[in-house]
Amino acid sequence: MDEATLILIAGWVAAILRSATPLLFVTLGETLSQRVGIINLGIEGEMLAGACFGFAAAATTGDPLLGLIAGGAAGVVLSMVHAGLCIGLGANQFGSGLAVWMIGLGITSFYGRAFVGGQVDASGSLGGSWLGDSPVLAQLLDNLSWTALAAVLLVLLAGFLLYRTRTGLAWRTVGEAPEAARAAGLSVPRIQVSGVLLGGFLAGVGGAVLSVDYTQTWAQEMTKGRGLVAVGLVIVARWNPYLVLPTVLVFGGAEAAVTRLQAGGFVLSSHVLASLPYIIALLVVVGAYAWGRRGSGMPEGLKGVFAVRGS
Amino acid sequence: MPTLARHERLAGAALAALAFIIVALGFFAVIGEPPLATLLSMAEYAVGDRYSLSETLVKMTPILFCALAAIVPARLGLISVGAEGQFHVGALIGTGMMLWTQPFDGWLLLPLVLLGGAAGGALYGWLPGILRARLSVNETITTLLLNYVGVLMVSAAVYGPWKDPGNLGWPATIAFPDAAVLPQLFGTRVHAGLLLGLLLALCLHVLFRFSRWGQSLDILKGNVRVGRMMGLDYRRHVIIVMALGGALAGLAGIGETSVIQGRLQPGISVGYGLTGFLVAWLAGHNALLAIPVSFLIGGLIAAGDTLQLFNKIPASSATVLQGLMFATALAVPGLIALWRSRRG
C-alpha cells in the first residue's frame, strides 16, 4: 500500500473512532450493569443528563475535563434512582429504567434550555510534535482526542477487571448465580449497586463526550436513542467487555460507510440517513439472535427479566 | 415485583398518590416556585373550567389509545414500548389514504383513512411481533429502536414527496378535507376519537375478563409450557397482541393528525407513546383503569402547557412530573413489602 492509501485509511479509522467514542463509553457502562444482572434502559436518560450537565459545566468553567466529570456525576445520580428502585425496592427493571429515562428527559429539557446553542472548546487532540513527521500517524492522531484513547483503554481495563480479578469474579458470580453468590458470603445488593452506578457513570461520561468533545454544543434530546442502541449492542457483544470494542466500531463503521455512499452519488433523504443507526442496530440485534445460539453469553441472572421466557 | 394483597393494593394506590404529591411539592420547591400554589394552579388548569377540561380530554385521547397499545401485549407478558413509532406509521399510512382517495371525496373517505391508520400501526406492531415469535428477539429493544425510525419516516414524507408546495416551505401535507375528519364534540377540540377510545377500552376489558381469548392470554402469560400443553399457540398470540396493540396506537396517530393538527407534519406527538406506556403501567395493565389514569395524565400535560403560558414554568416540568410519578408508583409496592417484612 502506498502512503496516500494509508493516509486515507488512517483518516477513516480516526473518523469512525471519533464518532464511536461516546457509544463506547455508554455500551461499556450498560455491559457492566447487565453483568451484575440489572438491565438499565435509563441509560438513555443518564447519557442525556451527562451530555446536558457535562456541557453546562464545560461551558461555565471552560474546562472540558470538568465537563466530563460533571457528566459522569449526573449519570451516577440518575442511576442511583434506578438502583434504588429495582435493587432496593424490587421494582420491575424495564419500568424503572423507563422512569429514569423520563426523568432525565424532563430535567435536561428543563435545565438545558439556558445552554441550547452554546459552544465549548474540545479537549486536546492526541497529535502533536512528539509524533515526528509521519503523515499517516498525524492523520490518525490529530483527529482523535484523548477521550477516544481513554475509551479504548477503559474497555481493556474493564475486560481485565471482569475476567482476571477477584472483584470481577464476584461480579460475574452475582450476575450468573445470585443464590450461589449469597451462599458464598457475597453481598449481592452491594455488588449490583456498584455495577449500576459504574454503568451510570460511564453513560454520563459518554454523554458528556458527545456534547463537549464531539458536537461541542448542546441540543435538547441530543442523544436521540443512542443509549437504547447501546442496550441492543450489549446483546451483540455477548455481554463481553472486550467484544464491546469491535461491536461498536463495526456499528460505527457501517454507519460511516452508508453516510459516505451519499458522497459517492447515491442521493438519500437526510431523514433516511438519520434512521440508519437504528436500522443497523436493529439488524445486528436480530442477526445476533438469528445466528447466535439464543441468549448465548447472557448472564443467567438476567434470564428471568429478559427474553428467554417463551418459545 | 413484590406481590401484594388486594387491600394492600388499594392502600398502595392511595399511598402512591400521597407520595407523588409530596414529591411534586418538593420538585416545585427545588425549581423555586411556591409549591402549594403551583400545584393548585395545575389542578385548576387541568379541570378548572370548560376550556381547561376540554383540553385535558384532547390530550387524554391519544394517551388512552397508546396506553391500550401497551396493555394488549402486556396481557401476554410482553413489554412493548413501540406506541410512539406505531402512532407515527399509523399517521403516515392514514394520511397516505387521504392523499390517494382525496379526489373522490365521498363518505368512504373517513373509514378508509381510519383503516389506513389502524393498518399502518398494526404493521408496525406486527414486525417486532414476528421477530419475537420466530426468533425470540426481545420486543422491548426492537420497539424502542423502531420508534425512532417511525418518527423519521414521517419527517421524510413531509419534508419530501408529500410536502404541499402551497405551504411556503413549511414541511406539511395538504390539509385533511372535512369528509376525512372525525366529528368534533360540544364545539371544542374534543373529537369522536375519545368516544371510540372509551368504547375500545371497555370492549378490551370485557374480552380480557370473559372471552376465551382473554383466558388464553392469562394462561400463556402465567406459563407458556402449560399453555402449549393445552394446545395454545404462543407464537400466534404474540403476533396477534403486537399487531392489535399497534393498530390501537395507529388510530391515535391518525386521529391526532387529522383532527387536531389538520395535516401531517413533524411534531404530531409530544411523547404520547411513552406517556401511554406509563399510563398502562400505572393502571396495572387494566384496560378499564386506563381511562381514569389517562385522564389524570392528560390533565397533567394540559396543565403543563398552561403553566408555561401563564406562570413561565417550562412545559417540560410536566415530563419531569410524569417521570417522578412513575418512579413513585414503582417504589410504593416495594416500600410496603419492606415495611411488612420489618414488622415480621
Side-chain angles (χ1 to χ4, degrees):
Chain A
M1 268 192 278
D2 56 38
E3 196 167 43
T5 323
L6 282 177
I7 291 178
L8 191 72
I9 293 175
W12 263 70
V13 171
I16 291 171
L17 199 55
R18 208 172 109 76
S19 71
T21 305
L23 198 57
L24 260 179
F25 279 105
V26 180
T27 312
L28 187 64
E30 181 70 23
T31 303
L32 293 177
S33 175
Q34 292 199 13
R35 273 319 279 254
V36 293
I38 306 290
I39 297 165
N40 188 0
L41 294 181
I43 202 137
E44 175 71 23
E46 288 156 22
M47 187 184 181
L48 196 55
C52 178
F53 294 104
F55 182 83
T60 346
T61 62
D63 185 349
L65 181 63
L66 274 181
L68 299 189
I69 294 170
V76 170
V77 170
L78 268 187
S79 65
M80 280 161 76
V81 177
H82 188 59
L85 282 175
C86 54
I87 302 165
L89 297 170
N92 178 288
Q93 297 182 7
F94 288 100
S96 163
L98 289 164
V100 168
W101 177 20
M102 226 165 187
I103 295 173
L105 202 61
I107 286 185
T108 56
S109 53
F110 194 92
Y111 285 109
R113 287 191 319 156
F115 295 95
V116 169
Q119 286 277 324
V120 288
D121 297 326
S123 32
S125 129
L126 284 174
S129 52
W130 60 275
L131 284 174
D133 47 18
S134 155
V136 178
L137 273 182
Q139 175 73 2
L140 183 67
L141 296 183
D142 280 350
N143 291 316
L144 285 178
S145 89
W146 59 268
T147 52
L149 182 68
V152 173
L153 290 179
L154 266 178
V155 163
L156 299 176
L157 183 67
F160 177 81
L161 281 176
L162 201 59
Y163 295 116
R164 293 267 178 269
T165 65
R166 283 181 76 91
T167 315
L169 180 64
W171 280 38
R172 282 183 291 136
T173 314
V174 166
E176 295 290 341
E179 292 303 323
R182 213 164 286 133
L186 293 170
S187 163
V188 176
R190 202 173 53 82
I191 290 174
Q192 287 187 322
V193 169
S194 320
V196 171
L197 295 197
L198 185 56
F201 176 76
L202 290 173
V205 171
V209 169
L210 179 70
S211 63
V212 175
D213 222 24
Y214 188 62
T215 66
Q216 291 166 35
T217 184
W218 154 256
Q220 309 278 20
E221 291 184 48
M222 72 180 295
T223 54
K224 294 198 191 90
R226 283 303 165 117
L228 302 169
V229 165
V231 177
L233 292 183
V234 170
I235 301 172
V236 181
R238 309 222 170 287
W239 291 268
N240 179 336
Y242 289 127
L243 291 182
V244 163
L245 185 61
T247 305
V248 172
L249 289 184
V250 167
F251 173 78
E255 209 187 328
V258 186
T259 314
R260 297 273 164 122
L261 277 183
Q262 210 177 23
F266 286 88
V267 182
L268 280 175
S269 141
S270 61
H271 306 285
V272 177
L273 274 181
S275 66
L276 284 172
Y278 314 108
I279 295 175
I280 294 170
L282 210 59
L283 289 177
V284 292
V285 169
V286 171
Y289 273 92
W291 288 295
R293 290 236 317 281
R294 253 164 225 176
S296 61
M298 179 187 282
E300 285 293 327
L302 269 187
K303 289 186 179 169
V305 232
F306 227 97
V308 210
R309 199 175 346 149
S311 11
Chain B
M1 221 189 311
T3 47
L4 303 174
R6 190 182 170 80
H7 71 277
E8 278 179 318
R9 274 211 303 269
L10 278 174
L15 202 65
L18 191 69
F20 171 67
I21 289 171
I22 295 168
V23 169
L25 290 174
F27 170 68
F28 289 133
V30 166
I31 64 172
E33 301 292 333
L36 203 57
T38 313
L39 194 69
L40 290 175
S41 343
M42 278 198 99
E44 197 190 322
Y45 295 153
V47 291
D49 55 44
R50 200 179 127 83
Y51 174 75
S52 313
L53 188 62
S54 78
E55 280 305 294
T56 293
L57 292 176
V58 167
K59 299 279 186 228
M60 169 193 177
T61 306
I63 295 172
L64 176 60
F65 275 99
C66 290
L68 295 176
I71 286 175
V72 175
R75 300 301 299 204
L76 191 54
L78 299 176
I79 301 177
S80 164
V81 202
E84 189 76 10
Q86 294 149 3
F87 180 104
H88 278 83
V89 175
L92 188 74
I93 305 294
T95 306
M97 279 300 212
M98 182 274 286
L99 292 172
W100 178 54
T101 52
Q102 190 249 340
F104 307 114
D105 198 18
W107 63 269
L108 208 60
L109 199 49
L110 181 60
L112 276 178
V113 164
L114 291 182
L115 213 64
L123 189 74
Y124 219 55
W126 170 84
L127 183 63
I130 193 108
L131 287 174
R132 173 63 206 249
R134 293 281 150 200
L135 298 169
S136 301
V137 184
N138 177 270
E139 74 285 355
T140 311
I141 289 164
T142 51
T143 50
L144 279 168
L145 291 174
L146 282 169
N147 283 344
Y148 292 91
V149 182
V151 174
L152 285 162
M153 273 157 73
V154 167
S155 298
V158 298
Y159 278 95
W162 288 2
K163 183 155 88 178
D164 176 20
N167 285 334
L168 305 171
W170 175 252
T173 62
I174 58 167
F176 275 74
D178 288 343
V181 177
L182 284 165
Q184 287 176 300
L185 311 171
F186 326 116
T188 62
R189 299 207 300 158
V190 182
H191 58 89
L194 177 61
L195 301 182
L196 183 63
L198 295 174
L199 189 71
L200 283 169
L202 194 67
C203 289
L204 282 170
H205 183 72
V206 171
L207 283 172
F208 291 148
R209 270 285 162 82
F210 303 109
S211 76
R212 280 186 69 118
W213 176 59
Q215 282 177 352
S216 310
L217 293 181
D218 282 345
I219 293 164
L220 285 168
K221 185 188 177 194
N223 192 324
V224 176
R225 236 169 259 147
V226 170
R228 282 250 171 75
M229 282 194 285
M230 296 171 68
L232 297 172
D233 187 345
Y234 180 68
R235 292 179 175 190
R236 207 166 60 95
H237 279 88
V238 168
I239 294 169
I240 289 172
V241 293
M242 289 299 288
L244 181 57
L248 292 164
L251 278 173
I254 192 57
E256 191 70 10
T257 303
S258 59
V259 189
I260 303 299
Q261 309 280 335
R263 53 183 57 77
L264 187 65
Q265 54 190 0
I268 47 173
S269 162
V270 284
Y272 289 132
L274 197 57
T275 299
F277 182 85
L278 155 75
V279 168
W281 206 284
L282 292 179
H285 301 132
N286 176 318
L288 215 50
L289 269 182
I291 295 172
V293 180
S294 51
F295 177 77
L296 191 72
I297 305 277
L300 179 68
I301 293 175
D305 287 351
T306 319
L307 215 53
Q308 169 153 317
L309 208 60
F310 292 147
N311 300 33
K312 304 277 174 281
I313 302 173
S316 49
S317 57
T319 314
V320 180
L321 288 176
Q322 279 182 63
L324 291 174
M325 185 187 280
F326 199 177
T328 318
L330 284 165
V332 162
L335 286 172
I336 293 179
L338 211 62
W339 175 76
R340 195 168 49 180
S341 70
R342 285 273 160 79
R343 281 178 81 222

